[in-house]
Amino acid sequence: MHNGKSYFFVGIGGSGMMPLAMILAGRGATVAGSDRTLDQARLPAKFADLRAKGVALFPQDGSGIMSADQIVVASAAVEATVADIVAADRVGAPRMSRAELLASLFNASELPIGVAGTSGKSTVTGMIGWILHACGRDPTVMNGAVMKNFVRPDAPFASALVGSGPTFVSEVDESDGSIALYHPRIAVLNNVSLDHKSLEELRTLFGDFAGKAATTLVNIGDAETAELAATLDPARITTFAVDAPADLMAENLAPEPFAIMFDLITADTRHKVRLSVPGRHNVSNALAAIGASVAAGVPLTEAITTIEGFAGLKRRFELVGEASGIAVIDDFGHNPDKIAATLDTLHTFPGRLLILFQPHGYGPLKVMRSELVAMFADKLHADDLLMLPDPVYQGGTVVREVTSADIIADVVARGRNALHIADRAEAAAALVDQARAGDRIVVMGARDDTLSLLAAEMLARIAGRG
């Protein structure tokens, strides 16, 4: 459908844009793009990988948009005053949002599998993609994170997989309401909680999405999702839950520092499952992925055997390394549920937590303020330390009604150890100076790939202390 067309991506290095560009390039389209990060000479390896795949890169100054034959793709965050958008309007180039383009590819596939929910989307998408790939189904997979199973020397940023089979697996974003564009055959609804929108809006968006599918995997272990499940056609849903009755149920969880085992129970069978990723939340993710894969035609026993080989995602509870008895972990946690899941997993084992959390925007901070504070007050242990620099900011206009300093003040008022240091590098240095043997440093945040570089720098600094 899109072979041979010409696309220009504004912000091509973004986590939602790069894999989409990779899929189009892999299908024969002409792909070019620009990115502020490229102009700032940051993350050069990412852009080198795009060039190696035949993607032409331009400064974000409008110079790459020269023809009305180009389709200009931009996310909702790109403002009308950006030079590339001005150039697109000047030459009469048609425009599409990232979500519109992805939805057109997704909906045109023979077997579209959409993964929705406030948390766990990328992991479930990666798990389904790995199961289908390992079982010979040759899926196309669109993910917002790098899938370790598909990383190779010629694919270091494997957030997409281009297959020739009928299945298109994609995480589906609710933050901008674009979930309404997607028409899944198989849907996953992982959970419903605050992130970008109110719960009332989320219930409508997720309910409408799930209602379109022939089969929807629904996490009834999540209270909000269980309520939503009650409004859906019971003949078209498969329920899953951890330690609660469901069509797919997990019990007897046996955690390891970076893995977990459990029993998977169906109406008439029981199976031992081992995951190579840790945490109760990943058991729930695995139930969703196994259920979706079975709905796509994979035998249950084959899905169970295969999922053990799932290596995880970059920046999802990723151990960067250890030095002087201190572990450094890189994690995508950025909303209350995601952060809580990571803290719960870490607190299963002894050791103080030193957390550097960079909020992913001032808007989300305002929406999530009370829930974030309550979560940190509940989940931090007495000797843990939380450090917040200012939110990520990559240009454009922004309203700063709620700041990192506000969150820290609220957390301290609830009796927890927390500090605000505005500059991220200074915050990281202060955290490293506090670290001692037995501690776990956790770098958290979204929408900023340089956090991984920061985590590696912190590990190197610890190693260099001698």
Side-chain angles (χ1 to χ4, degrees):
M1 177 172 100
H2 291 265
N3 297 8
K5 291 188 178 181
S6 179
Y7 295 86
F8 188 96
F9 283 74
V10 183
I12 196 168
S15 61
M17 298 284 267
M18 187 172 176
L20 186 52
M22 288 177 173
I23 290 171
L24 286 169
R27 291 184 171 186
T30 300
V31 180
S34 67
D35 200 282
R36 280 188 298 224
T37 303
L38 174 66
D39 294 348
Q40 296 162 359
R42 298 160 66 209
L43 301 172
K46 174 183 283 190
F47 297 105
D49 184 43
L50 282 167
R51 287 191 182 98
K53 291 176 170 57
V55 175
L57 298 175
F58 295 84
Q60 202 169 85
D61 60 5
S63 60
I65 299 173
M66 300 162 284
S67 167
D69 293 332
Q70 292 172 290
I71 300 169
V72 176
V73 184
S75 72
V78 175
E79 298 172 326
T81 54
V82 170
D84 285 341
I85 303 300
V86 173
D89 292 340
R90 184 176 65 249
V91 302
R95 286 165 52 186
M96 295 183 79
S97 70
R98 183 199 71 87
E100 288 169 340
L101 178 55
L102 175 57
S104 71
L105 296 170
F106 180 86
N107 295 338
S109 67
E110 187 177 333
L111 182 55
I113 301 177
V115 181
T118 315
S119 302
K121 293 188 292 290
S122 297
T123 298
V124 174
T125 298
M127 285 177 167
I128 297 170
W130 168 245
I131 292 170
L132 295 178
H133 172 82
C135 294
R137 306 305 172 97
D138 199 16
T140 293
V141 183
M142 163 76 192
N143 208 330
V146 174
M147 299 173 282
K148 293 182 181 180
N149 289 97
F150 303 121
V151 169
R152 306 184 308 272
D154 63 340
F157 297 91
S159 53
L161 185 67
V162 183
S164 59
T167 309
F168 194 118
V169 186
S170 181
E171 61 172 303
V172 176
D173 187 16
E174 80 289 344
S175 65
D176 60 358
S178 62
I179 188 173
L181 300 173
Y182 298 84
H183 297 273
R185 178 84 61 80
I186 299 169
V188 174
L189 186 51
N190 236 18
N191 42 57
V192 180
S193 62
L194 279 176
D195 193 337
H196 299 87
K197 291 187 176 294
S198 70
L199 285 174
E200 290 73 19
E201 292 175 286
L202 292 174
R203 291 177 190 123
T204 299
L205 288 169
F206 287 138
D208 290 347
F209 173 76
K212 297 174 186 175
T215 301
T216 300
L217 282 298
V218 185
N219 178 15
I220 59 171
D222 174 74
E224 278 287 341
T225 313
E227 282 190 31
L228 198 153
T231 69
L232 302 174
D233 180 356
R236 292 163 58 191
I237 67 171
T238 298
T239 60
F240 65 93
V242 177
D243 288 331
D247 297 326
L248 296 170
M249 183 176 81
E251 66 177 22
N252 298 330
L253 277 60
E256 303 171 29
F258 290 93
I260 193 164
M261 293 185 66
F262 64 95
D263 290 347
L264 170 59
I265 301 163
T266 68
D268 51 8
T269 63
R270 178 183 289 264
H271 305 267
K272 287 285 185 186
V273 183
R274 185 177 189 276
L275 303 178
S276 301
V277 289
R280 180 187 180 94
H281 61 294
N282 275 322
V283 173
S284 179
N285 290 337
L287 294 177
I290 290 168
S293 300
V294 169
V298 175
L300 176 62
T301 53
E302 198 171 342
I304 288 170
T305 301
T306 303
I307 201 168
E308 182 175 353
F310 175 67
L313 307 177
K314 291 282 187 181
R315 299 217 63 234
R316 269 56 171 189
F317 206 98
E318 182 180 11
L319 178 65
V320 180
E322 296 184 60
S324 303
I326 301 162
V328 178
I329 294 165
D330 188 17
D331 190 72
F332 192 69
H334 62 279
N335 65 37
D337 280 1
K338 285 184 170 76
I339 296 171
T342 295
L343 299 186
D344 283 345
T345 300
L346 286 163
H347 279 139
T348 305
F349 298 91
R352 183 174 65 145
L353 303 185
L354 305 179
I355 302 154
L356 189 147
F357 168 46
Q358 177 180 266
H360 60 294
Y362 288 92
L365 267 192
K366 181 180 177 181
V367 171
M368 298 187 295
R369 179 176 184 170
S370 61
E371 288 76 13
L372 268 177
V373 171
M375 179 275 300
F376 280 126
D378 180 47
K379 298 298 183 180
L380 290 173
H381 285 187
D383 59 346
D384 293 338
L385 173 62
L386 172 67
M387 186 87 71
L388 261 68
D390 286 345
V392 61
Y393 174 68
Q394 295 172 339
T397 57
V398 64
V399 178
R400 307 185 184 205
E401 291 183 41
V402 176
T403 67
S404 293
D406 295 326
I407 302 298
I408 290 297
D410 292 350
V411 173
V412 169
R414 299 284 292 269
R416 297 304 183 193
N417 298 321
L419 291 172
H420 168 241
I421 297 179
D423 181 78
R424 191 180 78 176
E426 292 179 11
L431 208 62
V432 166
D433 288 345
Q434 293 260 0
R436 59 179 184 262
D439 289 345
R440 282 83 51 81
I441 290 177
V442 191
V443 177
M444 287 182 155
R447 294 184 183 169
D448 186 352
D449 291 343
T450 66
L451 286 168
S452 294
L453 301 179
L454 179 70
E457 290 165 3
M458 294 171 76
L459 179 65
R461 180 167 176 160
I462 293 166
R465 294 193 313 199

